[in-house]
Amino acid sequence: MMMQGHPAVHPFQPMGLEEGHGAQEAQPAAEAVPPADLPEVDGAALGAVLRILQALSAVSVLAILVSPSKFAPEFRQSWLAVAAVGQFVWSLLLWVLNIYALLVMRPLRNRWLLLFFATGDAIATVFVYGAAWISGGITILVAYDLKLCDENNCPSFIGASIVGFVCANLALPSFLLNLWGYLRSGDE
């Protein structure tokens, strides 16, 4: 579905009225004009909000991972920690870029820049999502099959895996919106 201009900006003129009854000549309806500013694209307020939520969820993953009193880094959690750090850095850098674009009032509409954002979001999302799957699967194995939760802090690892899924799902809208912006910019 194409987005169309508002009727107050592009008024509708009825067609088919006869000329002799004081009506204007029938004119074809004006073509629909896409809106000039899309709020979903990076460089807008929604982009900044999504980026800060992604960064906060990545920090939450790290906070849950290091919260146990007997925290000892384990291989099964290292992938999730690395993915969360990567997501945090990526989101924070793009949040700063979004804030800058908002301050100078210039949307980030460059076609190749949108492709770069969409690619980075896809990589970050897949990496965090995969790390959350690995971490959650191994933690469930240790907790329920091997019954070794006395030696490990399984509830915090399960919580970190769940927040990892939330972190990946928060990055997904940015990817889809940037990809949509990239694909849409090819029409212009």
Side-chain angles (χ1 to χ4, degrees), residues 20-103:
H21 298 285
Q24 297 177 350
E25 270 190 45
Q27 297 178 3
E31 288 186 30
V33 176
D37 191 21
L38 294 173
E40 299 88 13
V41 183
D42 268 329
L46 181 62
V49 169
L50 282 173
R51 297 298 179 186
I52 199 67
L53 287 175
Q54 293 166 15
L56 290 174
S57 67
V59 167
S60 299
V61 170
L62 292 173
I64 292 171
L65 280 175
V66 299
S67 66
S69 59
K70 58 178 185 174
F71 174 72
E74 298 182 25
F75 180 72
R76 65 184 156 141
Q77 301 304 328
S78 63
W79 286 107
L80 187 55
V82 168
V85 167
Q87 178 68 45
F88 174 75
V89 169
W90 174 254
S91 298
L92 193 64
L93 288 174
L94 290 183
W95 177 73
V96 168
L97 186 62
N98 272 312
I99 294 299
Y100 174 75
L102 286 171
L103 289 175

Side-chain angles (χ1 to χ4, degrees), residues 18-184:
E18 293 182 17
E19 199 173 305
H21 298 285
Q24 297 177 350
E25 270 190 45
Q27 297 178 3
E31 288 186 30
V33 176
D37 191 21
L38 294 173
E40 299 88 13
V41 183
D42 268 329
L46 181 62
V49 169
L50 282 173
R51 297 298 179 186
I52 199 67
L53 287 175
Q54 293 166 15
L56 290 174
S57 67
V59 167
S60 299
V61 170
L62 292 173
I64 292 171
L65 280 175
V66 299
S67 66
S69 59
K70 58 178 185 174
F71 174 72
E74 298 182 25
F75 180 72
R76 65 184 156 141
Q77 301 304 328
S78 63
W79 286 107
L80 187 55
V82 168
V85 167
Q87 178 68 45
F88 174 75
V89 169
W90 174 254
S91 298
L92 193 64
L93 288 174
L94 290 183
W95 177 73
V96 168
L97 186 62
N98 272 312
I99 294 299
Y100 174 75
L102 286 171
L103 289 175
V104 298
M105 294 183 207
R106 293 191 63 191
L108 301 172
R109 293 278 176 83
N110 184 325
R111 179 173 167 82
W112 300 109
L113 191 61
L114 289 173
L115 179 63
F116 176 70
F117 291 160
T119 304
D121 286 335
I123 291 169
T125 301
V126 168
F127 193 43
V128 171
Y129 197 69
W133 268 110
I134 291 169
S135 177
I138 293 175
T139 303
I140 295 298
L141 172 74
V142 168
Y144 297 112
D145 295 338
L146 302 177
K147 306 220 186 285
L148 297 174
C149 269
D150 297 336
E151 303 161 11
N152 300 300
N153 196 349
C154 292
S156 70
F157 291 151
I158 292 172
S161 298
I162 291 170
V163 176
F165 284 116
V166 170
C167 182
N169 287 329
L170 281 173
L172 192 59
S174 295
F175 162 70
L176 293 174
L177 293 172
N178 282 321
L179 183 64
W180 179 66
Y182 168 73
L183 295 173
R184 189 171 179 273

